[in-house]
Amino acid sequence: MKIIELLKEDARRTPALIATMLGASEAEVAEAIRELEEANVIVKYATVVNWAKVDNEKVTALIEVQITPERGRGFDAIAERIYLYPEVKSVYLMSGAYDLLVEIEGKTLKEVASFVSNKLSPIDRVLSTKTHFILKKYKQDGIVFEDHEDDRRLLISP
C-alpha cells in the first residue's frame, strides 16, 4: 500500500527513490511495482494538468443520469454503453437521487449539449439527465490549482 500511495502522490518517483523512502531494496520495490501493474492494480500513470494555465479551452460537464436497470445486468450494461464514447472521461454508480454520474469533455457548450441530446438521452432505459458545467477547478486529485497569497492580515490580540 505504501508504494501505491507514494506513486499516487508523484508517479515520477523511481523505484530507487521509493526504496530509499521505505528502507527497502530497489529490486524489491521494482518487483512489487511490476506485480501491481500486471495485476491491474496500477492501471495508468497520469499527469494532472491545470487547464486554466494552458491556451486550450475545454468544457467539462458532470451529468446526473437516472436510469432503469437492465434485468440480469443491473446498471453495468448502460454504464458500459456510456463509457465507450470517447468524450466520456468518467462514469460512477452513485447512491441518492440519480444512478450514474458521467463526466464528459468537449470543445464547446454546444458540443456537450449535442452529446447529451443526441447520444446520452436517447439510450434505452435513460429516464432523465441533469447537466452541470464546471466553471472553475480549485482542486483535483489533492492538488490545489489556485495561486494564493499568504494571509497578510494583522494579528489582533486581546
Side-chain angles (χ1 to χ4, degrees):
M1 277 309 293
K2 194 63 177 163
I3 291 172
I4 293 170
E5 290 170 10
L6 290 171
L7 286 172
K8 180 70 178 140
E9 286 173 12
D10 185 354
R12 294 179 297 175
R13 288 185 171 137
T14 63
L17 177 59
I18 294 170
T20 302
M21 295 170 83
L22 298 178
S25 76
E26 184 177 348
E28 289 173 323
V29 170
E31 177 62 18
I33 291 171
R34 186 188 62 74
E35 289 174 3
L36 290 166
E37 290 169 344
E38 287 178 1
N40 271 343
V41 173
I42 295 175
V43 180
K44 180 180 179 179
Y45 296 92
T47 302
V48 177
V49 177
N50 184 353
W51 288 107
K53 302 255 184 188
V54 178
D55 190 25
N56 184 12
E57 293 294 318
K58 292 183 181 198
V59 176
T60 304
L62 300 175
I63 307 164
E64 300 174 5
V65 184
Q66 285 187 312
I67 61 177
T68 302
E70 190 175 296
R71 173 173 245 129
R73 292 202 59 204
F75 298 102
D76 295 346
I78 296 142
E80 182 178 343
R81 256 187 95 182
I82 293 169
Y83 70 60
L84 290 174
Y85 287 109
E87 51 270 77
V88 174
K89 299 302 169 199
S90 304
V91 178
Y92 304 99
L93 180 61
M94 305 294 290
S95 64
Y98 55 95
D99 304 304
L100 298 177
L101 180 65
V102 178
E103 179 183 4
I104 72 162
E105 252 178 24
K107 291 182 176 127
T108 63
L109 291 172
K110 187 175 181 178
E111 190 175 286
V112 172
S114 175
F115 172 82
V116 173
S117 62
N118 297 325
K119 295 179 180 177
L120 185 59
S121 294
I123 293 174
D124 191 36
R125 300 190 179 272
V126 169
L127 302 175
S128 69
T129 64
K130 186 185 296 184
T131 304
H132 305 275
F133 291 97
I134 295 178
L135 302 177
K136 183 176 182 178
K137 285 186 183 179
Y138 293 98
K139 185 176 182 179
Q140 178 183 333
D141 293 329
I143 298 166
V144 177
F145 291 132
E146 286 292 297
D147 296 329
H148 54 77
E149 295 181 22
D150 292 334
D151 189 357
R152 296 180 184 201
R153 293 179 288 177
L154 296 174
L155 278 175
I156 299 175
S157 52

